Amino acid sequence: MTRYERYVEALDAIKEATKWELTDDFRRLMAIHYAIHDTPFEASRFSNARDTLKQKTKMFSKFRGIQNLVWLSFLDAKYEDIGTAIDEALRLDTLLDRKHFRFSSLRPFLANQLINVGEPERRLDEATDLYQTFKQHHPWLTSEEDLLSALVLVQAFDDVIDLNERIEQHYSLLKDRLPKSNELQLVSHLLTFSESEPEEAVSRLLAWKSQLDDIQLSIRREQLPALALLSIVAGPNADAVHAIQEIVDAEKDKQRWFNTHSVLVALQLVAADHITGEANDLLLHGTFAHLLAMQQAMTAATTAAVIASTSSSTN
């Protein structure tokens, strides 16, 4: 079974298990989790996990709510013992009652990122310092998604000063070639995982963008982080370009009029295919969790805006 076939299989099963609860935007994010980890979606297991989470959280917990099924699917796809993973995430969440993290809507993803991390409180202190540095350098671009970025980065790099210099080198090169945005800042964070020098890493990202432009697949601002992840694990090549095109075409065949998601799905699935078993665990679990958390936040914001617009137009 190819990764795309796993994605389609999971998406169909998730649609059946979440009738009347979610939009397809959220379901696609869930299906990507299972495809990335090459794990089948089992409706009964997921339902039991939902019940467990409901029993262990209060009414207004940030772990509740339909949109956090995306977060739960990440645990379900990644951990064999989902009950223990939920317990650990809830335990680690108690460490997040501190400045910056306390009111973040991404607390479930932040807690998840602390699972199996040694000295989690020290990592949170380091992430707080790095996040404040982000705010100092880019006050208008830095948002709560960068909290998760900071937490992923401090786990991967010990020298925070050198890390921040690398981020700024990437960002300086990027902003000379692409419009400034929150997504561009995230791209600069992701490219620090590249073993290449900043100039080469940015050039490879732009080469990917150019190759996809050549086959009429224009990369939009919100798709740049996924493209950055792909550029870290693979240079532009005919096989990968063909794989992206195949997935995009397949998604367009399924949904002729509403297929703007197709490029984003293709980029992430092809990137996952190029991450080897020897790769840094953070590259697979940390950066993908980050990308999908960001997409969840964007989807939730868009959904809320549509609901608000519909409500105001009927009053």
Side-chain angles (χ1 to χ4, degrees):
M1 180 179 288
T2 67
R3 203 175 296 272
Y4 178 65
E5 289 169 341
R6 175 71 77 193
Y7 164 81
V8 172
E9 177 190 69
L11 182 58
D12 288 343
I14 290 166
K15 285 181 178 179
E16 184 64 28
T18 60
K19 280 183 176 178
W20 317 115
E21 290 186 288
L22 290 171
T23 65
D24 281 350
D25 288 331
F26 287 111
R27 292 180 181 128
R28 279 190 286 269
L29 296 181
M30 294 171 68
I32 288 172
H33 286 153
Y34 295 96
I36 288 169
H37 294 283
D38 198 24
T39 302
F41 173 83
E42 297 178 11
S44 59
R45 172 183 154 99
F46 191 73
S47 178
N48 290 337
R50 291 182 67 176
D51 290 341
T52 298
L53 186 62
K54 188 173 182 179
Q55 292 166 8
K56 295 185 176 184
T57 55
K58 296 180 179 180
M59 178 79 69
F60 299 106
S61 169
K62 290 189 182 294
F63 286 81
R64 288 203 184 188
I66 294 302
Q67 73 182 53
N68 277 315
L69 294 184
V70 177
W71 166 80
L72 186 60
S73 70
F74 187 85
L75 285 193
D76 186 40
K78 181 178 178 182
Y79 295 104
E80 184 175 348
D81 186 346
I82 183 65
T84 299
I86 288 172
D87 287 343
E88 185 67 359
L90 293 176
R91 181 187 71 81
L92 291 165
D93 179 63
T94 62
L95 302 179
L96 298 175
D97 285 325
R98 54 168 68 200
K99 186 178 179 181
H100 301 308
F101 297 95
R102 185 189 304 273
F103 301 110
S104 173
S105 63
L106 298 179
R107 275 184 68 153
F109 282 94
L110 290 161
N112 177 68
Q113 194 54 47
L114 289 170
I115 294 177
N116 297 327
V117 170
E119 300 183 84
E121 291 187 82
R122 178 172 69 85
R123 292 303 190 190
L124 283 171
D125 289 338
E126 293 171 348
T128 298
D129 292 341
L130 184 57
Y131 176 74
Q132 288 175 329
T133 301
F134 293 163
K135 292 285 285 184
Q136 290 170 4
H137 289 174
H138 308 288
W140 304 112
L141 295 178
T142 303
S143 61
E144 69 167 355
E145 286 91 348
D146 293 301
L147 287 169
L148 185 53
S149 187
L151 187 55
V152 172
L153 287 165
V154 297
Q155 291 175 46
F157 301 96
D158 292 326
D159 188 337
V160 176
I161 295 175
D162 179 66
L163 166 62
N164 196 61
E165 289 177 355
R166 280 177 56 80
I167 290 171
E168 287 303 308
Q169 286 174 350
H170 285 105
Y171 184 76
S172 179
L173 292 166
L174 287 164
K175 71 180 178 63
D176 289 339
R177 297 163 171 84
L178 297 166
K180 292 181 182 179
S181 66
N182 295 77
E183 290 82 7
L184 201 64
Q185 179 160 290
L186 174 54
V187 169
S188 71
H189 299 164
L190 292 172
L191 289 183
T192 60
F193 282 90
S194 173
E195 294 180 354
S196 304
E197 289 299 311
E199 183 71 50
E200 183 182 347
V202 171
S203 294
R204 191 150 97 163
L205 170 70
L206 296 174
W208 258 115
K209 186 176 182 299
S210 177
Q211 284 217 10
L212 295 176
D213 284 341
D214 289 343
I215 58 169
Q216 285 73 55
L217 292 182
S218 298
I219 298 299
R220 302 191 308 187
R221 187 182 67 187
E222 64 271 20
Q223 296 162 345
L224 282 171
L227 183 64
L229 181 57
L230 176 58
S231 75
I232 294 169
V233 297
N237 64 86
D239 288 342
V241 170
H242 179 69
I244 292 169
Q245 183 74 72
E246 278 195 324
I247 293 173
V248 169
D249 289 344
E251 286 297 291
K252 287 182 177 180
D253 286 343
K254 292 175 186 296
Q255 293 185 302
R256 179 171 296 182
W257 305 113
F258 301 101
N259 51 50
T260 55
H261 65 278
S262 60
V263 174
L264 195 55
V265 169
L267 291 173
Q268 291 174 105
L269 295 182
V270 173
D273 270 335
H274 285 80
I275 296 178
T276 65
E278 294 77 29
N280 187 321
D281 182 71
L282 275 167
L283 189 60
L284 178 57
H285 302 309
T287 59
F288 263 118
H290 189 182
L291 285 175
L292 291 162
M294 181 194 75
Q295 291 166 42
Q296 173 184 297
M298 290 173 59
T299 300
T302 301
T303 302
V306 170
I307 292 173
S309 176
T310 303
S311 176
S312 63
S313 66
T314 57
N315 290 335

